[in-house]
Amino acid sequence: MGGKVDEILSKEGVVVLIEYPSLSHPERVFARIVEGLRGRGIRPLIVDVFDTLHIFFQNLRFAGIWINLGDIPVIKERGFVKVGNVLGNVEVIEDFEYHLALYSSIARKVPEESRRHTIVLGVEKFAFPFMDQPPKLERYFETVQRRYLQVMDKTNFLFLNTDVASEYLKKGLEQDSDYVFLVQDGRLYPVKSIQEGV
């Protein structure tokens, strides 16, 4: 797994989607990415959706893996458990414009050195409020996801639980990502790259 994570970390200014089924261990890939970025002198911003960071952190502890997140800036998207240096919590997801305004006000607190590398945990949970409303989910993509992701020279790592995400959400994220990897049996497998397409 180390070689694939190093390959991921060598990418700059791209969107990397890391897909995983519920029974895999994406938290180990997450830990390697955080440690790899730290080794490069980078403290990434973590966007924690519905306490997914807490779940990853606990699973790592159960596996005997310790990761220091105390100085890592975190923006929470709903949820209650604070892990890392939480800068703020965005509670409103359904009203996209208001959501962006709240997120932007918290994002101003993110240290300059953390702004170019973002790890988003629990991407699939964004869509929970509109799972049965495809038109609203499409509007979500147009308003929040695509506008947020298209930041020049910014590297984004998105973690997506494919057992929970709708097929529509999965396909939309794959389309908008430069690289897609699958976590299976503790290993990373390439699914898509800029050169190859899907």
Side-chain angles (χ1 to χ4, degrees), residues 32 41 49 62 82 94 109 157 168 176 198:
R32 290 275 295 124
V49 185
F62 294 146
K82 293 185 177 182
E94 293 86 347
K109 302 175 190 175
F157 303 95
Y168 178 85
D176 288 346
V198 176

Side-chain angles (χ1 to χ4, degrees), residues 163-183:
D163 287 346
V164 177
S166 69
E167 191 62 23
Y168 178 85
L169 178 64
K170 179 175 177 280
K171 291 298 181 191
L173 286 171
E174 287 176 348
Q175 178 182 334
D176 288 346
S177 299
D178 300 302
Y179 296 89
V180 180
F181 290 88
L182 173 65
V183 180

Side-chain angles (χ1 to χ4, degrees), residues 18 20 59 114 128 171 196:
I18 300 168
Y20 61 94
N59 286 344
S114 299
F128 283 174
K171 291 298 181 191
E196 300 166 5

